Structures are given as C-alpha cells and as structure tokens.
Amino acid sequence: MVTVEFALALPAIIAVTLLVAGVGGAAALQVSACDAARVSARAAAIGVETPGFDRGIAVSVNRDGQWVDARARVRLPGWLPELTCSASALREPL
C-alpha cells in the first residue's frame, strides 16, 4: 500500500533526478566544447588542419599575430542558452 507521503514525494524525487541528469549532460557538453577549443587552438598553432567535431560543436579560429584563439560553441536543446569555451595557443615557428 502506498502512503500519502510517498505519493506526494514521488514527483519531487523524479524532478530532482531529471534535473541532475540534465545538469550532467550540460556539463559533458561543456567539457567537449572546451576540448574542441583546445585541440583547435593547438592544431592551428602548429599549422595542421583543425579536426572535425561531433555533437553540434562549432569552432571558430582566429589567427592574430603570434597567438591563435579558438572559440567553441554548442547549443543546448530547447530554450537553454549556448555553451562557449575558448582557448589560446602561441603560434609555433614553421
């Protein structure tokens, strides 16, 4: 038999579980975006082609003087804002 307390607490438990899963997924995408920015900056700094990335990650590279700046963006589903991460690397002499 289900008690009233359990019936009232169950939606809260489900909501918290879904919230934790969503935050975990967003954190994983943030780590992927930062890794993509770091890899892109390093690849551009040593003069090789930037590799392609999955999961909807868009990377832009700016080569300005001795420094290479890479910025990675990934959209979250729904109305949530996009996540960004940037990385810089010193250009290697060729």
Side-chain angles (χ1 to χ4, degrees):
M1 185 145 239
V2 177
T3 64
V4 173
E5 291 84 10
F6 181 74
L8 292 175
L10 188 60
I13 292 170
I14 292 172
V16 168
T17 302
L18 291 175
L19 180 66
V20 168
V23 168
L29 284 175
Q30 178 73 29
V31 169
S32 295
C34 288
D35 186 50
R38 181 189 56 81
V39 168
S40 297
R42 183 65 185 141
I46 61 174
V48 298
E49 185 176 331
T50 302
F53 300 102
D54 58 350
R55 293 179 138 182
I57 298 174
V59 179
S60 61
V61 178
N62 181 18
R63 295 168 182 89
D64 186 25
Q66 291 185 355
W67 289 94
V68 175
D69 299 317
R71 183 179 185 98
R73 293 175 287 119
V74 61
R75 293 280 307 156
L76 293 176
W79 52 270
L80 298 171
E82 69 179 13
L83 299 174
T84 61
C85 192
S86 60
S88 299
L90 187 62
R91 190 179 293 196
E92 298 283 331
L94 298 177

